[in-house]
mmCIF file of all heavy atoms in Angstrom:
data_model
loop_
_atom_site.group_PDB
_atom_site.id
_atom_site.type_symbol
_atom_site.label_atom_id
_atom_site.label_comp_id
_atom_site.label_asym_id
_atom_site.label_seq_id
_atom_site.Cartn_x
_atom_site.Cartn_y
_atom_site.Cartn_z
ATOM 1 N N ARG A 30 -105.707 -14.778 -7.266
ATOM 2 C CA ARG A 30 -104.268 -14.525 -7.144
ATOM 3 C C ARG A 30 -103.925 -13.922 -5.777
ATOM 4 O O ARG A 30 -102.958 -14.314 -5.136
ATOM 5 C CB ARG A 30 -103.825 -13.588 -8.272
ATOM 6 C CG ARG A 30 -102.359 -13.282 -8.220
ATOM 7 C CD ARG A 30 -101.965 -12.342 -9.321
ATOM 8 N NE ARG A 30 -100.576 -12.013 -9.165
ATOM 9 C CZ ARG A 30 -99.724 -11.858 -10.138
ATOM 10 N NH1 ARG A 30 -100.122 -11.989 -11.377
ATOM 11 N NH2 ARG A 30 -98.481 -11.554 -9.910
ATOM 12 N N THR A 31 -104.716 -12.965 -5.314
ATOM 13 C CA THR A 31 -104.471 -12.334 -4.014
ATOM 14 C C THR A 31 -104.548 -13.362 -2.894
ATOM 15 O O THR A 31 -103.705 -13.391 -2.002
ATOM 16 C CB THR A 31 -105.482 -11.199 -3.765
ATOM 17 O OG1 THR A 31 -105.373 -10.265 -4.826
ATOM 18 C CG2 THR A 31 -105.241 -10.519 -2.434
ATOM 19 N N VAL A 32 -105.548 -14.227 -2.950
ATOM 20 C CA VAL A 32 -105.704 -15.255 -1.916
ATOM 21 C C VAL A 32 -104.513 -16.206 -1.934
ATOM 22 O O VAL A 32 -103.944 -16.526 -0.899
ATOM 23 C CB VAL A 32 -107.034 -16.027 -2.110
ATOM 24 C CG1 VAL A 32 -107.092 -17.240 -1.197
ATOM 25 C CG2 VAL A 32 -108.213 -15.112 -1.841
ATOM 26 N N LEU A 33 -104.092 -16.639 -3.120
ATOM 27 C CA LEU A 33 -102.954 -17.553 -3.218
ATOM 28 C C LEU A 33 -101.666 -16.917 -2.712
ATOM 29 O O LEU A 33 -100.892 -17.537 -1.995
ATOM 30 C CB LEU A 33 -102.776 -18.035 -4.658
ATOM 31 C CG LEU A 33 -103.854 -18.999 -5.162
ATOM 32 C CD1 LEU A 33 -103.644 -19.290 -6.631
ATOM 33 C CD2 LEU A 33 -103.852 -20.279 -4.355
ATOM 34 N N LEU A 34 -101.427 -15.671 -3.077
ATOM 35 C CA LEU A 34 -100.220 -14.979 -2.622
ATOM 36 C C LEU A 34 -100.221 -14.810 -1.107
ATOM 37 O O LEU A 34 -99.213 -15.039 -0.443
ATOM 38 C CB LEU A 34 -100.076 -13.627 -3.312
ATOM 39 C CG LEU A 34 -99.689 -13.677 -4.790
ATOM 40 C CD1 LEU A 34 -99.761 -12.279 -5.394
ATOM 41 C CD2 LEU A 34 -98.309 -14.254 -4.961
ATOM 42 N N ALA A 35 -101.336 -14.411 -0.545
ATOM 43 C CA ALA A 35 -101.429 -14.203 0.904
ATOM 44 C C ALA A 35 -101.262 -15.522 1.653
ATOM 45 O O ALA A 35 -100.572 -15.595 2.669
ATOM 46 C CB ALA A 35 -102.760 -13.555 1.266
ATOM 47 N N THR A 36 -101.871 -16.581 1.132
ATOM 48 C CA THR A 36 -101.763 -17.885 1.775
ATOM 49 C C THR A 36 -100.329 -18.386 1.733
ATOM 50 O O THR A 36 -99.800 -18.887 2.720
ATOM 51 C CB THR A 36 -102.707 -18.899 1.088
ATOM 52 O OG1 THR A 36 -104.029 -18.383 1.139
ATOM 53 C CG2 THR A 36 -102.654 -20.251 1.772
ATOM 54 N N GLY A 37 -99.670 -18.239 0.591
ATOM 55 C CA GLY A 37 -98.288 -18.680 0.464
ATOM 56 C C GLY A 37 -97.357 -17.919 1.387
ATOM 57 O O GLY A 37 -96.480 -18.490 2.024
ATOM 58 N N ALA A 38 -97.538 -16.607 1.478
ATOM 59 C CA ALA A 38 -96.697 -15.796 2.357
ATOM 60 C C ALA A 38 -96.899 -16.185 3.811
ATOM 61 O O ALA A 38 -95.944 -16.289 4.579
ATOM 62 C CB ALA A 38 -97.000 -14.311 2.161
ATOM 63 N N ALA A 39 -98.146 -16.432 4.206
ATOM 64 C CA ALA A 39 -98.426 -16.818 5.585
ATOM 65 C C ALA A 39 -97.802 -18.178 5.894
ATOM 66 O O ALA A 39 -97.209 -18.379 6.944
ATOM 67 C CB ALA A 39 -99.931 -16.849 5.839
ATOM 68 N N ALA A 40 -97.909 -19.120 4.981
ATOM 69 C CA ALA A 40 -97.336 -20.446 5.193
ATOM 70 C C ALA A 40 -95.823 -20.370 5.299
ATOM 71 O O ALA A 40 -95.212 -21.015 6.133
ATOM 72 C CB ALA A 40 -97.748 -21.387 4.051
ATOM 73 N N PHE A 41 -95.192 -19.563 4.455
ATOM 74 C CA PHE A 41 -93.738 -19.415 4.495
ATOM 75 C C PHE A 41 -93.311 -18.821 5.825
ATOM 76 O O PHE A 41 -92.396 -19.293 6.465
ATOM 77 C CB PHE A 41 -93.257 -18.538 3.335
ATOM 78 C CG PHE A 41 -91.772 -18.333 3.351
ATOM 79 C CD1 PHE A 41 -90.922 -19.338 2.935
ATOM 80 C CD2 PHE A 41 -91.224 -17.150 3.813
ATOM 81 C CE1 PHE A 41 -89.551 -19.167 2.968
ATOM 82 C CE2 PHE A 41 -89.859 -16.976 3.848
ATOM 83 C CZ PHE A 41 -89.020 -17.990 3.419
ATOM 84 N N THR A 42 -93.996 -17.800 6.289
ATOM 85 C CA THR A 42 -93.657 -17.140 7.545
ATOM 86 C C THR A 42 -93.769 -18.097 8.714
ATOM 87 O O THR A 42 -92.881 -18.192 9.541
ATOM 88 C CB THR A 42 -94.572 -15.918 7.776
ATOM 89 O OG1 THR A 42 -94.414 -15.044 6.679
ATOM 90 C CG2 THR A 42 -94.228 -15.203 9.063
ATOM 91 N N VAL A 43 -94.856 -18.839 8.778
ATOM 92 C CA VAL A 43 -95.048 -19.772 9.874
ATOM 93 C C VAL A 43 -94.093 -20.943 9.752
ATOM 94 O O VAL A 43 -93.448 -21.343 10.695
ATOM 95 C CB VAL A 43 -96.513 -20.272 9.915
ATOM 96 C CG1 VAL A 43 -96.666 -21.396 10.913
ATOM 97 C CG2 VAL A 43 -97.438 -19.125 10.258
ATOM 98 N N GLY A 44 -93.945 -21.501 8.569
ATOM 99 C CA GLY A 44 -93.130 -22.693 8.371
ATOM 100 C C GLY A 44 -91.663 -22.463 8.656
ATOM 101 O O GLY A 44 -91.008 -23.275 9.283
ATOM 102 N N CYS A 45 -91.082 -21.373 8.190
ATOM 103 C CA CYS A 45 -89.647 -21.157 8.363
ATOM 104 C C CYS A 45 -89.331 -20.275 9.555
ATOM 105 O O CYS A 45 -88.292 -20.403 10.147
ATOM 106 C CB CYS A 45 -89.035 -20.557 7.092
ATOM 107 S SG CYS A 45 -88.966 -21.764 5.772
ATOM 108 N N GLY A 46 -90.224 -19.367 9.899
ATOM 109 C CA GLY A 46 -89.935 -18.427 10.969
ATOM 110 C C GLY A 46 -89.878 -19.076 12.334
ATOM 111 O O GLY A 46 -89.149 -18.644 13.205
ATOM 112 N N GLU A 47 -90.614 -20.138 12.531
ATOM 113 C CA GLU A 47 -90.658 -20.767 13.837
ATOM 114 C C GLU A 47 -89.950 -22.104 13.865
ATOM 115 O O GLU A 47 -89.931 -22.773 14.862
ATOM 116 C CB GLU A 47 -92.124 -20.967 14.266
ATOM 117 C CG GLU A 47 -92.844 -19.659 14.530
ATOM 118 C CD GLU A 47 -92.230 -18.880 15.674
ATOM 119 O OE1 GLU A 47 -91.902 -19.475 16.717
ATOM 120 O OE2 GLU A 47 -92.065 -17.660 15.527
ATOM 121 N N TYR A 48 -89.359 -22.533 12.762
ATOM 122 C CA TYR A 48 -88.725 -23.846 12.709
ATOM 123 C C TYR A 48 -87.592 -23.922 13.722
ATOM 124 O O TYR A 48 -86.800 -23.018 13.860
ATOM 125 C CB TYR A 48 -88.169 -24.113 11.306
ATOM 126 C CG TYR A 48 -87.604 -25.492 11.182
ATOM 127 C CD1 TYR A 48 -88.451 -26.563 10.947
ATOM 128 C CD2 TYR A 48 -86.264 -25.730 11.350
ATOM 129 C CE1 TYR A 48 -87.957 -27.835 10.861
ATOM 130 C CE2 TYR A 48 -85.762 -27.005 11.274
ATOM 131 C CZ TYR A 48 -86.609 -28.059 11.027
ATOM 132 O OH TYR A 48 -86.110 -29.320 10.950
ATOM 133 N N GLY A 49 -87.552 -25.022 14.435
ATOM 134 C CA GLY A 49 -86.465 -25.246 15.380
ATOM 135 C C GLY A 49 -86.774 -24.768 16.786
ATOM 136 O O GLY A 49 -85.967 -24.906 17.669
ATOM 137 N N ASN A 50 -87.963 -24.222 17.022
ATOM 138 C CA ASN A 50 -88.304 -23.740 18.353
ATOM 139 C C ASN A 50 -89.111 -24.748 19.152
ATOM 140 O O ASN A 50 -89.513 -24.463 20.252
ATOM 141 C CB ASN A 50 -89.115 -22.440 18.264
ATOM 142 C CG ASN A 50 -88.269 -21.271 17.871
ATOM 143 O OD1 ASN A 50 -87.057 -21.302 18.026
ATOM 144 N ND2 ASN A 50 -88.890 -20.252 17.330
ATOM 145 N N GLU A 51 -89.356 -25.927 18.586
ATOM 146 C CA GLU A 51 -90.207 -26.882 19.269
ATOM 147 C C GLU A 51 -89.633 -27.247 20.622
ATOM 148 O O GLU A 51 -88.478 -27.632 20.721
ATOM 149 C CB GLU A 51 -90.355 -28.185 18.465
ATOM 150 C CG GLU A 51 -90.728 -28.049 17.040
ATOM 151 C CD GLU A 51 -89.560 -27.798 16.109
ATOM 152 O OE1 GLU A 51 -88.444 -28.284 16.353
ATOM 153 O OE2 GLU A 51 -89.775 -27.086 15.139
ATOM 154 N N GLY A 52 -90.439 -27.078 21.646
ATOM 155 C CA GLY A 52 -90.075 -27.554 22.953
ATOM 156 C C GLY A 52 -89.047 -26.723 23.700
ATOM 157 O O GLY A 52 -88.662 -27.082 24.784
ATOM 158 N N ASP A 53 -88.576 -25.629 23.143
ATOM 159 C CA ASP A 53 -87.582 -24.874 23.896
ATOM 160 C C ASP A 53 -88.229 -23.901 24.872
ATOM 161 O O ASP A 53 -87.584 -23.430 25.780
ATOM 162 C CB ASP A 53 -86.567 -24.171 22.990
ATOM 163 C CG ASP A 53 -87.118 -22.989 22.213
ATOM 164 O OD1 ASP A 53 -88.316 -22.672 22.376
ATOM 165 O OD2 ASP A 53 -86.350 -22.385 21.459
ATOM 166 N N GLY A 54 -89.500 -23.568 24.659
ATOM 167 C CA GLY A 54 -90.234 -22.743 25.595
ATOM 168 C C GLY A 54 -89.796 -21.301 25.662
ATOM 169 O O GLY A 54 -90.272 -20.555 26.485
ATOM 170 N N ASP A 55 -88.864 -20.873 24.806
ATOM 171 C CA ASP A 55 -88.366 -19.504 24.865
ATOM 172 C C ASP A 55 -88.205 -18.963 23.457
ATOM 173 O O ASP A 55 -87.115 -18.846 22.945
ATOM 174 C CB ASP A 55 -87.021 -19.468 25.606
ATOM 175 C CG ASP A 55 -86.514 -18.059 25.817
ATOM 176 O OD1 ASP A 55 -87.288 -17.109 25.607
ATOM 177 O OD2 ASP A 55 -85.340 -17.903 26.202
ATOM 178 N N SER A 56 -89.326 -18.632 22.823
ATOM 179 C CA SER A 56 -89.277 -18.218 21.427
ATOM 180 C C SER A 56 -88.624 -16.855 21.251
ATOM 181 O O SER A 56 -88.172 -16.531 20.169
ATOM 182 C CB SER A 56 -90.683 -18.208 20.826
ATOM 183 O OG SER A 56 -91.497 -17.292 21.525
ATOM 184 N N GLY A 57 -88.504 -16.049 22.280
ATOM 185 C CA GLY A 57 -87.895 -14.733 22.149
ATOM 186 C C GLY A 57 -86.376 -14.769 22.138
ATOM 187 O O GLY A 57 -85.734 -13.779 21.874
ATOM 188 N N SER A 58 -85.771 -15.899 22.409
ATOM 189 C CA SER A 58 -84.320 -15.957 22.534
ATOM 190 C C SER A 58 -83.596 -15.988 21.199
ATOM 191 O O SER A 58 -82.390 -15.882 21.163
ATOM 192 C CB SER A 58 -83.916 -17.170 23.367
ATOM 193 O OG SER A 58 -84.290 -18.349 22.687
ATOM 194 N N ASN A 59 -84.297 -16.145 20.086
ATOM 195 C CA ASN A 59 -83.630 -16.254 18.795
ATOM 196 C C ASN A 59 -83.045 -14.938 18.310
ATOM 197 O O ASN A 59 -82.350 -14.917 17.313
ATOM 198 C CB ASN A 59 -84.585 -16.823 17.753
ATOM 199 C CG ASN A 59 -84.803 -18.300 17.973
ATOM 200 O OD1 ASN A 59 -83.992 -18.960 18.606
ATOM 201 N ND2 ASN A 59 -85.894 -18.816 17.460
ATOM 202 N N THR A 60 -83.300 -13.834 18.980
ATOM 203 C CA THR A 60 -82.784 -12.555 18.528
ATOM 204 C C THR A 60 -81.453 -12.201 19.189
ATOM 205 O O THR A 60 -80.859 -11.208 18.860
ATOM 206 C CB THR A 60 -83.793 -11.434 18.809
ATOM 207 O OG1 THR A 60 -84.059 -11.402 20.204
ATOM 208 C CG2 THR A 60 -85.088 -11.662 18.042
#
């Protein structure tokens, strides 16, 4: 259960947190 929860949280963070930044070269500008 711990492994599944940690994996899911990591995937969600990476999948949604960085969406839309492809190729813009300035990931800090979203704030």
